[in-house]
Amino acid sequence: MRKMFTLLVTSAFTASVLLTSCSSNNGDGGNNGTSTTGNEGTASELKTGITLKLTRPGFNDVHPASKDLWMWKKYEEMSGVKVNWEEIPGASVTERKNIIMASSDLPDAFYQLGFSQGEIAKYGQQGIFVPLDDLIDKYAPNIKQLFEEHPEIKQAVTAPDGKVYSLPYVDTSKAFASLRIYINKNWLNKVGLEQPQTIDEFYTALKAFKEQDANGNGKADETGWYMPAGSLSWTLERQLLGSFGMGNGGLKAAESWIYLDDQGEVQTVFNDPKYKEVWLYLKKLYTEGLLHPQTFTGVEYAQWVADGAKDLVGAYSWVGPNYLGDKVQDNFVGINALEGPNGDRIMNWLDNPARGISSFEITKANKYPAETIRWIDYFYGEEGSKFGTLGLEGETFNMVDGKPQYIDAIKNYEGGMQLGAFQYVDNVYGGYYPYVEPSEELRMGVKGTTVAEEINTDISELDKFAPAEIWPNFAPTEEESMEIDPIMTDIGKYIDEMRVKFITGKADIEAEWDNYVKTLDKMGAKRYLDIKRAQYDRFKGGK
């Protein structure tokens, strides 16, 4: 369970998106598994029977090695391209990646390895990563169409020099690219409260849960907001930025600690007086026992799920309610955004459609870049997207009453249907794979459910409370990365330290806030802001 939790977290919260579906797959085996629509004149230039070496992270503790996975063996038959996979255990990815990049022994391409934007720009300018623009134009009709229909996705993967060196993981669904607070509706009914709409009402609900025996077992064992250890800063805290006027750029902006103020000027979150108010609110929750007492010290995922099954959890944050377990998911209803003290109500934990920008890079060692881009382009089209999540009709799924259903070996898998599918196909956990997630309708079809049922919230609010702009990560130059990385390493550690001290009361936030801000300035906060403003100007100029 712990290993699967790690996989889900590295999937950038798309794990609870769950399963996709599809209509009948046409195979397309006579077309090497890909479409050449609009490129008939270039198809004859492409070779089959070639072998590529690809390096990727391995999940071999939870599914077969890539060389043995049904999906990749089948795609070799379809495409005429053989892949020799080098799979790196998750804990060794960074170390192994650094060794590879420092050597001359490059693979033909990197698959899902997760280079930073700064690394992409650097290795692109050094000629290690191949520019993909012309290759996409000639040999990748699906990616070309994606960029034309969604220019914001192309913009997200375009380096400061104007070139594309890396392909993205794409999800255009607001429902599954967003996080919300899930609150126990049974407990709300027990204490006589409606679903909270404001931060004050949320506090009132958590307080009632604690004081009024919300689970009805006669014990004072209820916990208000409760998640596995370490999750506060990247879940509830970031959600609250949208309630305190700092959430108007979406998730990537929150991750970068920036927002746009009322004058249209980029500001940093971590030293803003409004961020102090967020911490004061969280301190209030913690001091009154409305956050789990081990929020900062450690609760394992398995323990959290076990407590959920015992009806001890009042609220938590995730994409869907099933994260706490199928047995209790129907007990929870989603709150997309809470209104703050000044009327701010933005669902800022909402990701850009280019959820990952480093899913696939072709290196200078590759002798077949055209064949390689065409090989991966398949997964950016509707057919390839469905193939990567369902497989092929008659082999891994069947159509029943117009809807796809996995074969029994998958449906009845001991670890559940999603993990069962993972024994055959790769793209069922999000995971920054180089592809486009299927439509909401298709991915719900295999489960026999709807988006509203899956996330159990008012889906009309997804548009109503979405930020006006959902920024990607702004692409840094190599020089900017060299400055930003050490600055934010120090600042990040300091924020983590002071968050715990201020919220738990070990440090007086009122008395020490000014010193906290001065310390951030000494660490380079002002320089970081200057760089982010320059990147934002480039971003706006590139629209």
Side-chain angles (χ1 to χ4, degrees), residues 434-466:
Y435 80 118
V436 177
E437 288 273 10
S439 68
E440 294 175 348
E441 179 183 7
L442 290 173
R443 59 178 108 178
M444 291 301 97
V446 73
K447 298 190 68 185
T449 186
T450 66
V451 173
E453 292 169 340
E454 182 71 15
I455 64 175
N456 199 15
T457 192
D458 182 353
I459 60 174
S460 69
E461 292 182 350
L462 301 180
D463 288 326
K464 181 179 180 181
F465 297 135

Side-chain angles (χ1 to χ4, degrees), residues 209-459:
F209 290 171
K210 178 178 174 64
E211 296 177 350
Q212 298 182 32
D213 190 23
N215 61 12
N217 67 356
K219 301 177 182 179
D221 55 2
E222 293 83 1
T223 300
W225 189 89
Y226 177 17
M227 283 281 285
S231 62
L232 178 69
S233 62
W234 48 259
T235 54
L236 182 58
E237 181 183 288
R238 283 183 182 162
Q239 288 171 287
L240 289 173
L241 298 183
S243 304
F244 285 84
M246 296 178 290
N248 54 14
L251 173 61
K252 293 293 196 297
E255 290 176 338
S256 298
W257 296 102
I258 55 175
Y259 77 100
L260 208 62
D261 67 17
D262 293 339
Q263 285 71 48
E265 189 80 31
V266 172
Q267 302 291 354
T268 44
V269 168
F270 48 64
N271 53 4
D272 194 292
K274 293 189 288 293
Y275 187 51
K276 175 186 173 184
E277 297 303 313
V278 173
W279 274 355
L280 284 170
Y281 179 77
L282 291 171
K283 178 185 177 183
K284 180 180 179 180
L285 298 185
Y286 185 88
T287 301
E288 297 190 27
L290 309 184
L291 299 180
H292 192 278
Q294 293 177 264
T295 294
F296 297 108
T297 57
V299 175
E300 291 295 322
Y301 175 77
Q303 179 62 51
W304 179 65
V305 171
D307 285 347
K310 296 174 184 176
D311 200 22
L312 303 180
V313 177
Y316 59 95
S317 299
W318 204 252
V319 177
N322 57 332
Y323 185 48
L324 189 56
D326 295 343
K327 294 180 180 179
V328 300
Q329 66 180 26
D330 292 338
N331 298 341
F332 291 84
V333 62
I335 303 171
N336 292 301
L338 292 167
E339 184 177 321
N342 298 310
D344 297 293
R345 191 175 187 182
I346 295 179
M347 189 177 63
N348 71 292
W349 212 111
L350 176 59
D351 209 352
N352 185 277
R355 301 203 62 192
I357 54 86
S358 176
S359 295
F360 195 82
E361 297 85 20
I362 298 176
T363 76
K364 65 179 182 179
N366 194 314
K367 298 179 181 179
Y368 308 103
E371 288 79 5
T372 304
I373 198 73
R374 187 165 179 257
W375 179 87
I376 198 64
D377 180 66
Y378 175 59
F379 295 97
Y380 287 90
E382 181 179 357
E383 183 181 305
S385 175
K386 292 184 288 189
F387 171 73
T389 51
L390 281 182
L392 295 177
E393 183 177 0
E395 297 192 46
T396 53
F397 76 95
N398 295 296
M399 298 300 294
V400 179
D401 297 328
K403 294 182 179 180
Q405 288 191 7
Y406 282 117
I407 58 176
D408 288 344
I410 292 175
K411 288 195 299 183
N412 301 327
Y413 192 74
E414 182 178 359
M417 186 166 64
Q418 188 175 19
L419 189 57
F422 204 41
Q423 309 311 304
Y424 289 81
V425 293
D426 242 345
N427 303 355
V428 295
Y429 279 104
Y432 288 75
Y433 300 104
Y435 80 118
V436 177
E437 288 273 10
S439 68
E440 294 175 348
E441 179 183 7
L442 290 173
R443 59 178 108 178
M444 291 301 97
V446 73
K447 298 190 68 185
T449 186
T450 66
V451 173
E453 292 169 340
E454 182 71 15
I455 64 175
N456 199 15
T457 192
D458 182 353
I459 60 174

Side-chain angles (χ1 to χ4, degrees), residues 97-98 114-125 129 476 481:
K97 180 177 70 175
N98 292 337
F115 290 90
S116 71
Q117 285 184 303
E119 289 174 327
I120 293 170
K122 177 177 72 174
Y123 296 134
Q125 291 173 358
F129 291 163
S481 289

Side-chain angles (χ1 to χ4, degrees), residues 153-264:
I153 294 175
K154 182 178 181 181
Q155 185 183 25
V157 296
T158 298
D161 65 2
K163 297 178 181 178
V164 174
Y165 297 103
S166 180
L167 297 180
Y169 159 58
V170 177
D171 188 357
T172 59
S173 166
K174 285 188 174 72
F176 298 134
S178 58
L179 205 74
R180 66 207 98 256
I181 297 170
Y182 281 94
I183 192 163
N184 195 317
K185 62 183 181 182
N186 293 338
W187 288 15
L188 287 173
N189 292 335
K190 180 72 181 330
V191 300
L193 293 175
E194 299 292 328
Q195 180 177 320
Q197 302 296 314
T198 70
I199 61 168
D200 289 339
E201 291 175 0
F202 184 59
Y203 161 79
T204 298
L206 297 187
K207 189 173 180 66
F209 290 171
K210 178 178 174 64
E211 296 177 350
Q212 298 182 32
D213 190 23
N215 61 12
N217 67 356
K219 301 177 182 179
D221 55 2
E222 293 83 1
T223 300
W225 189 89
Y226 177 17
M227 283 281 285
S231 62
L232 178 69
S233 62
W234 48 259
T235 54
L236 182 58
E237 181 183 288
R238 283 183 182 162
Q239 288 171 287
L240 289 173
L241 298 183
S243 304
F244 285 84
M246 296 178 290
N248 54 14
L251 173 61
K252 293 293 196 297
E255 290 176 338
S256 298
W257 296 102
I258 55 175
Y259 77 100
L260 208 62
D261 67 17
D262 293 339
Q263 285 71 48

